[in-house]
Amino acid sequence: MEYIDRLPAMDLMRSEKMMLVQLIIPVESAHRAVSYLGELGLLQFRDLNDDKSPFQRTFVNQVKRCAEMSRKLRFIKEQIHKAGLTPSPSPAPQPDIDLEELEIQLEEHEHGLIEMNANSEKLQQTYNELLEFKMVLQKAGDFLLSTGSHVATQETELAENIHVNDDYAETSSLLEQVGSNFQEMLPGPSNQTGVRFISGIICKSKVLRFERMLFRTTRGNMLFNQAPTDDQILDPATNELVEKIVFVVFFSGEQARVKILKICEAFGANCYPVAEDTIRRRQITREVLSHLSDLETTLEAGLRHRDKALISIGFHLAKWMNMVRREKAVYDTLNMLNFDVTKKCLVGEGWCPIFAKTKIQEALQRATTDSNSQVGVIFHVMHSVESPPTYFKTNHLTNAYQEIVDAYGVAKYQEANPAVYTIITFPFLFAVMFGDWGHGICLLLGALFLIAREKKLGSQKLGSFMEMLFGGRYVLLLMSLFSIYCGLIYNEFFSVPFHIFGNSAYRCRDTTCSDSRSVGLVKYQDTYPFGVDPSWRGSRSELPFLNSLKMKMSILFGIAQMNLGIILSYFNARYFGNSLDIKYQFVPQMIFLNSLFGYLSLLIIIKWCSGSQADLYHVMIYMFLSPFEDLGENKLFWGQNVLQVILLLLAVIAVPWMLFPKPFILKRLHTEISRSVIHGPWNL
Amino acid sequence: MYGFEALTFNIHGGYLEAIVRGYRSGLLTAADYNNLCQCETLDDIKMHLSATEYGPYLQNEPSPLHTTTIVEKCTLKLVDEYKHMLAQATEPLSTFLEYITYGHMIDNVVLIVTGTLHERDVQELLEKCHPLGMFDSIATLAVAQNMRELYRLVLVDTPLAPYFSECITSEDLDDMNIEIMRNTLYKAYLEDFYRFCQKLGGATAEIMSDLLAFEADRRAVNITINSIGTELTRDDRRKLYSNFGLLYPYGHEELAVCEDIDQVRAAMEKYPPYQSIFSKLSYGESQMLDKAFYEEEVKRLCLAFEQQFHYGVFFAYMRLREQEIRNLMWISECVAQNQKSRVHDSVVFIF
């Protein structure tokens, strides 16, 4: 006991000692103080306005403004991304800019961008329409030429329900409405027979359904021609290229026409009138082409202008985003503070590690002088009944391990931190499983690469997989080193043994055994100096030997690890002065573990040292099944039978000892406490 | 296999059930609603919602917000979640999930048809449609002149086609028979859904039959109340009631002859589960009936989550989210129109 008391304090293993502090900050220096503290990152504020909803807090307007600004920044970023540019910080140093100015600038930029987008969208739309018109003109013209004969046959078919072309003028005017901005288009009706056509363009994905729908509405009295366009058309809404199909529908009758137009509208098919007259068509095509080239130049100029604007914003984007985010964090923190009675000071409470006290005070002092405040920030320590938060100081190396441990559960305040042991045990146990010095070297190279480029990789954003690798780079390093070590012990280089540490201890009894490697080997020199003898490789007993070796080794490691965990729980219990845990948890756990599995480890070690042939399975199983029976040839040492019976008894006693007393004692304590609370005032 | 779902359910349904239960834990709580009800402006609502799961959907909206934007974005979230689940689902769960949207499909069809009847712009109507009930050729509905055409041109391709067998007439469309069409379709849909759930068996059948029966009964009551004083005959009214549910068949006989709200009440109070609903209302009042029914529905939907290994949770989740969106819409409207005193009138707390 005294020896344990004299052990050095487990500073590394315990989380930092924390204290609850109260800050009273004058309003004028509050913002600066909080942002300095934020940069320091050593104080955790407690939310003193827990009962208030976010929009009832003091600095809600500032938070809203920041949210609005970050929305604008996101919008700009998205625009930059859409334009296919990559925002890069500008080479020249930029002037600092304060928040109000930034807000105004962002407003301007957003406004400008939206306007530019609207303009270019309008242009793009006209451009698309013209492009589609051009395609329709080309393709549909071909149809009209080639299906001339077809139409003639249709004419005869439809002869009985021909409508007289009395509404010729009306039709043309209607088609004019449908048509685009071209005045000089010709009426659609093909001739006096009453077969008319509508031509247009539609998305490729919709064309099948479109045709079916047309067929149903006209009850089959129509002819549908289609041809794919040569180019894809840019969809302004999604910014993607879409394949489109030009179609020409021949039909007869006014009712059918109205319906077909409605269907076209419903399917988002754009209809364009095509003149039947070839000369006329050529003329229109020419005009369309000239308009197209005009528009193209305008569009390009617009795009260039927008790209230039975006690039100039892109220079500052990262900095601005950072700034807005910081600002929002500051106001979010300020929202956690309370106003004192006079409304001149903000009162905040927070947790900080004791070692950070001077640093925090310095930062606060700096804030006071920088903001020319006449009153300094008051900083004093408070008593608290709550359990403080757990804070482990970590560095590059230990951080990854701490995260692994935290994934299983965060230790309570000042509880022993298993992450310290994990730094060695985790990579080592990995290596026990994957020991191979060839693989280990590969892993080592990878880990060294990550560590060598630490500065560069650390500053950029990595993918989720890369980030995980990078975060665990020191874990990888240690894993690879241990893997090489274990690989040397297993004597495996990509699963091939090497004679690194001299010749094998075995050789053939005579010259005939060169290919039969399992029999006829004799030991002619001392045991192989390090690791597994390469002669085992390929021999008939390789698997039984190596498996047995590795399995027994794993049992030893496993039980050592479990013992370590239980011993840690003892130190925890001692630290917190909890004798209950020691008596009813630690002691029976130790007894149970070691009387069964500790005994097994003992047997393994004895077997290894004595070279006995005893069957340990048999020993362990019959220890439970028939503890009083004689062990026979499996006996390893004198008095083993008696020892086994004693250990079994201990284990049986340990189970109820471990499970039953603690909950009952805790319940009794609980009822006693609640009773004393109820009767407390009277006892005073 | 009845009663043994636990053995095999998780092979196909386990992942999605976990997903849907995760989604459910994102539903707004009473505390959230209390905070939302105290909001002064729509921006406050946005700010509060940004701390919930709706955050990412609302964060990119510029500041002068409208109620429609909030509702639209919230619906978008529901639709995204639905699509995610549908994409992950295997048979028969995927069919079950599709069944959930048919109700919206019917509503959309009716919306478009009524809208074109009143000569509204199709695009404008399409924007008002519920995104869950969209199907490919929905815009072409505007072409149809009567029920027969409606069926022949458009609906024959949709899952609603089988439900249409009762409504094929050559009459021109008008408000009255569109409404009858809606209810006939809904009846056929509910019965089909009910049969489907019975076929699935097990806990799904048990829970869904309860939920669907409630839905059918609620529709029966609503049809009765809405048709009081119209030219709908008793027989026609009787035909619109679904052929299952707690009220079937004797309750339907009584509802069919009701002439005013108090008679409906008398008919309904014979059924213990509905007695409690009607006992909250004063005589002659039908305004608060909707809310009372919604509250009862929410209670039943929440209970669906108490059991494991059945598909009812998906239905329940979708319905609860829809209720939540209705709540948000009501709150936003009240806030936008400065009617904060009425904010509690129509909000149904889910937890």
Side-chain angles (χ1 to χ4, degrees), chain B residues 222-237:
Chain B
N222 279 341
I223 289 169
T224 313
I225 291 174
N226 290 336
S227 63
I228 289 172
T230 59
E231 60 211 53
L232 200 71
T233 63
R234 287 177 181 181
D235 278 347
D236 284 343
R237 192 196 281 176

Side-chain angles (χ1 to χ4, degrees), chain A residues 343-356:
Chain A
K343 292 259 172 197
K344 278 178 186 156
C345 290
L346 283 165
V347 182
E349 284 172 21
W351 293 101
C352 70
I354 287 176
F355 72 85

Side-chain angles (χ1 to χ4, degrees), chain B residues 57-75:
Chain B
Y57 287 86
L58 284 170
Q59 69 174 2
N60 280 344
E61 289 311 309
S63 211
L65 272 174
H66 298 286
T67 317
T68 46
T69 336
I70 293 181
V71 173
E72 194 180 302
K73 291 292 162 187
C74 295
T75 315

Side-chain angles (χ1 to χ4, degrees), chain A residues 91-337:
Chain A
Q94 317 138 13
D96 276 339
I97 175 172
D98 73 350
L99 212 63
E100 276 71 32
E101 218 172 303
L102 180 63
E103 197 173 11
I104 296 163
Q105 277 201 21
L106 281 180
E107 179 72 49
E108 276 171 16
H109 285 311
E110 194 202 19
H111 197 71
L113 275 176
I114 288 175
E115 204 165 295
M116 268 187 258
N117 278 347
N119 281 340
S120 71
E121 206 165 287
K122 227 183 277 166
L123 279 175
Q124 184 75 38
Q125 194 151 3
T126 337
Y127 177 77
N128 273 0
E129 270 172 17
L130 279 174
L131 197 65
E132 287 178 356
F133 192 21
K134 185 193 89 180
M135 288 168 176
V136 172
L137 277 173
Q138 283 168 352
K139 297 286 173 186
D142 297 345
F143 282 131
L144 291 181
L145 285 177
S146 64
T147 53
S149 54
H150 208 108
V151 172
T153 55
Q154 279 231 327
E155 276 168 37
T156 52
E157 240 174 69
L158 299 167
E160 52 262 49
N161 49 6
I162 290 173
H163 292 277
V164 185
N165 257 334
D166 50 353
D167 48 1
Y168 187 89
E170 190 203 345
T171 321
S172 67
S173 71
L174 265 170
L175 266 173
E176 234 165 12
Q177 284 174 15
V178 176
S180 64
N181 26 18
F182 278 78
Q183 304 294 317
E184 64 271 48
M185 47 131 262
L186 271 191
S190 68
N191 43 40
Q192 290 78 7
T193 57
V195 176
R196 309 150 181 207
F197 67 88
I198 291 177
S199 52
I201 195 162
I202 189 171
C203 276
K204 194 180 179 186
S205 53
K206 289 184 187 164
V207 74
L208 255 173
R209 271 187 285 121
F210 181 60
E211 188 179 350
R212 189 163 56 205
M213 189 59 65
L214 286 176
F215 186 86
R216 279 189 197 144
T217 4
T218 57
R219 298 169 188 259
N221 294 327
M222 60 106 197
L223 183 70
F224 188 79
N225 275 312
Q226 52 170 326
T229 55
D230 304 326
D231 307 311
Q232 294 181 326
I233 291 174
L234 191 80
D235 184 356
T238 56
N239 220 359
E240 276 171 11
L241 289 173
V242 206
E243 269 188 74
K244 292 216 167 182
I245 298 259
V246 173
F247 63 85
V248 181
V249 199
F250 297 94
F251 61 93
S252 76
E254 176 59 25
Q255 281 226 322
R257 201 182 63 83
V258 176
K259 278 186 182 167
I260 290 176
L261 286 178
K262 263 192 181 172
I263 293 175
C264 288
E265 192 190 353
F267 274 88
N270 299 327
C271 296
Y272 300 96
V274 177
E276 240 172 308
D277 189 0
T278 333
I279 308 159
R280 198 60 199 264
R281 204 157 58 220
R282 279 211 198 103
Q283 189 192 336
I284 297 176
T285 316
R286 262 201 308 279
E287 270 175 55
V288 170
L289 283 177
S290 73
H291 272 269
L292 265 180
S293 63
D294 285 355
L295 267 178
E296 218 161 315
T297 44
T298 333
L299 258 179
E300 250 171 50
L303 270 183
R304 261 204 307 278
H305 183 62
R306 197 193 60 175
D307 284 358
K308 217 189 282 171
L310 282 179
I311 288 172
S312 71
I313 302 172
F315 285 149
H316 310 281
L317 195 64
K319 189 183 161 197
W320 287 352
M321 283 185 116
N322 193 354
M323 188 172 145
V324 171
R325 216 171 288 159
R326 267 166 198 256
E327 205 67 19
K328 182 157 185 282
V330 167
Y331 284 116
D332 275 337
T333 312
L334 282 175
N335 269 336
M336 293 193 207
L337 308 184

Side-chain angles (χ1 to χ4, degrees), chain A residues 10 13 401 416-427 564 568 571:
Chain A
M10 292 192 286
M13 286 189 46
Y401 294 98
N417 179 16
V420 182
Y421 297 106
T422 319
I423 297 172
I424 297 303
T425 56
F426 182 85
L564 172 69
L568 270 185
F571 281 102

Side-chain angles (χ1 to χ4, degrees), chain A residues 350-398:
Chain A
W351 293 101
C352 70
I354 287 176
F355 72 85
K357 193 176 169 187
T358 48
K359 282 189 195 167
I360 291 173
Q361 276 168 333
E362 266 170 35
L364 292 175
Q365 189 56 46
R366 211 146 38 88
T368 315
T369 44
D370 285 0
S371 50
N372 294 326
S373 170
Q374 292 173 351
V375 198
V377 179
I378 300 167
F379 175 94
H380 65 92
V381 183
M382 305 206 321
H383 287 289
S384 91
V385 278
E386 288 175 61
S387 164
T390 311
Y391 171 64
F392 291 111
K393 247 176 120 176
T394 56
N395 55 26
H396 282 306
L397 198 147
T398 55

Side-chain angles (χ1 to χ4, degrees), chain A residues 531-548:
Chain A
V532 175
D533 193 312
S535 279
W536 283 104
R537 159 82 183 170
S539 69
R540 205 176 291 165
S541 51
E542 180 194 6
L543 266 187
F545 170 69
L546 284 180
N547 279 358
S548 153

Side-chain angles (χ1 to χ4, degrees), chain A residues 314-549:
Chain A
F315 285 149
H316 310 281
L317 195 64
K319 189 183 161 197
W320 287 352
M321 283 185 116
N322 193 354
M323 188 172 145
V324 171
R325 216 171 288 159
R326 267 166 198 256
E327 205 67 19
K328 182 157 185 282
V330 167
Y331 284 116
D332 275 337
T333 312
L334 282 175
N335 269 336
M336 293 193 207
L337 308 184
N338 249 341
F339 266 112
D340 77 337
V341 227
T342 57
K343 292 259 172 197
K344 278 178 186 156
C345 290
L346 283 165
V347 182
E349 284 172 21
W351 293 101
C352 70
I354 287 176
F355 72 85
K357 193 176 169 187
T358 48
K359 282 189 195 167
I360 291 173
Q361 276 168 333
E362 266 170 35
L364 292 175
Q365 189 56 46
R366 211 146 38 88
T368 315
T369 44
D370 285 0
S371 50
N372 294 326
S373 170
Q374 292 173 351
V375 198
V377 179
I378 300 167
F379 175 94
H380 65 92
V381 183
M382 305 206 321
H383 287 289
S384 91
V385 278
E386 288 175 61
S387 164
T390 311
Y391 171 64
F392 291 111
K393 247 176 120 176
T394 56
N395 55 26
H396 282 306
L397 198 147
T398 55
N399 190 29
Y401 294 98
Q402 191 66 56
E403 271 174 23
I404 291 173
V405 169
D406 284 351
Y408 291 90
V410 178
K412 267 193 295 190
Y413 177 63
Q414 294 265 292
E415 232 176 14
N417 179 16
V420 182
Y421 297 106
T422 319
I423 297 172
I424 297 303
T425 56
F426 182 85
F428 180 64
L429 290 181
F430 165 84
V432 168
M433 288 185 278
F434 301 100
D436 185 314
W437 57 280
H439 292 148
I441 287 172
C442 296
L443 197 59
L444 179 66
L445 291 178
L448 285 178
F449 172 78
L450 285 177
I451 292 169
R453 311 198 53 176
E454 194 174 72
K455 283 237 168 64
K456 186 154 181 285
L457 288 174
S459 60
Q460 72 196 52
K461 203 168 158 45
L462 307 161
S464 67
F465 183 70
M466 233 356 233
E467 195 160 315
M468 203 170 72
L469 275 186
F470 180 71
R473 58 198 181 282
Y474 290 102
V475 184
L476 286 181
L477 178 75
L478 282 177
M479 286 200 304
S480 63
L481 290 178
F482 278 109
S483 185
I484 292 170
Y485 170 69
C486 282
L488 287 173
I489 291 180
Y490 297 162
N491 204 346
E492 282 194 6
F493 176 83
F494 295 116
S495 303
V496 178
F498 272 75
H499 293 77
I500 306 175
F501 303 102
N503 289 325
S504 167
Y506 300 93
R507 75 167 166 207
C508 288
R509 199 175 296 150
D510 49 47
T511 50
T512 56
C513 74
S514 60
D515 48 336
S516 68
R517 309 181 65 180
S518 51
V519 284
L521 290 176
V522 286
K523 194 171 175 184
Y524 76 104
Q525 63 181 45
D526 277 348
T527 312
Y528 196 69
F530 188 85
V532 175
D533 193 312
S535 279
W536 283 104
R537 159 82 183 170
S539 69
R540 205 176 291 165
S541 51
E542 180 194 6
L543 266 187
F545 170 69
L546 284 180
N547 279 358
S548 153
L549 170 79

